[in-house]
Every structure is written in structure tokens, then in C-alpha cells.
Amino acid sequence: MSKKNSLARRKRQHEFDLRREQAEKEKKEKKLQAKKNKMKVDRRDEKKKGASKFHVGKKKLKTKLTALAKAKAAQAMEVDK
């Protein structure tokens, strides 16, 4: 029997494929949940009379550069002489 058709190999490959699909599914769900958490409701129009709609926007994320990242960015911005 050839290597491709051996039962043990097919069984292992099938289990590997199932585990990989399950991991991808979980990763996708986690990503979707993170995306939902980023969304927030903007209630600035709620105070106005007759306003019944909510505006959905993304939260602003503040990022801080490390000293190493700042140095690399500064080096990249320099003009070669």
C-alpha cells in the first residue's frame, strides 16, 4: 500500500485538518469579538429634540512608541548625505 493511502496517515491528516479548522474558526470569532468591542455608540445627538438615531464610530486608540521604535523612526526619517 502506498504512503498516501495508508489508513493511519489519512486519519492523522484528517485530525490535523479538523484541529486547524477549529483553530481558524476560534481565531475568526475572537477577531470579530474584538472588532465589536472597538465599536462604540456616539450619543451626541441624543440630547437634541427628536433625535432617535445613534451614530456608531470606532474608539480612538492611543499608541505610545517605545524608545527603540522612536529611534528607528527617527533613523528612517533622516536623509542620507
Side-chain angles (χ1 to χ4, degrees):
M1 188 178 277
S2 69
K3 285 186 178 181
K4 286 184 181 178
N5 286 334
S6 70
L7 182 61
R9 181 176 290 272
R10 284 186 294 160
K11 197 174 198 179
R12 278 195 318 256
Q13 187 64 38
H14 180 68
E15 289 173 0
F16 175 78
D17 289 341
L18 287 178
R19 275 187 267 128
R20 183 173 51 189
E21 287 175 5
Q22 183 69 24
E24 287 176 359
K25 187 178 178 183
E26 288 174 2
K27 187 177 179 182
K28 201 174 212 180
E29 287 174 359
K30 191 182 267 188
K31 202 173 193 179
L32 183 64
Q33 188 65 30
K35 198 175 211 180
K36 283 182 182 179
N37 288 340
K38 278 187 180 180
M39 302 303 277
K40 67 173 184 177
V41 176
D42 187 8
R43 299 179 184 213
R44 63 180 153 211
D45 293 337
E46 189 175 332
K47 294 178 183 177
K48 294 180 184 178
K49 189 175 182 182
S52 62
K53 296 181 182 176
F54 292 107
H55 294 289
V56 178
K58 289 189 176 180
K59 288 182 183 178
K60 292 182 180 177
L61 299 175
K62 293 183 180 178
T63 57
K64 292 185 178 181
L65 291 176
T66 62
L68 179 63
K70 283 182 184 178
K72 283 185 178 180
Q75 187 179 21
M77 295 296 284
E78 287 180 7
V79 179
D80 293 331
K81 292 182 182 180

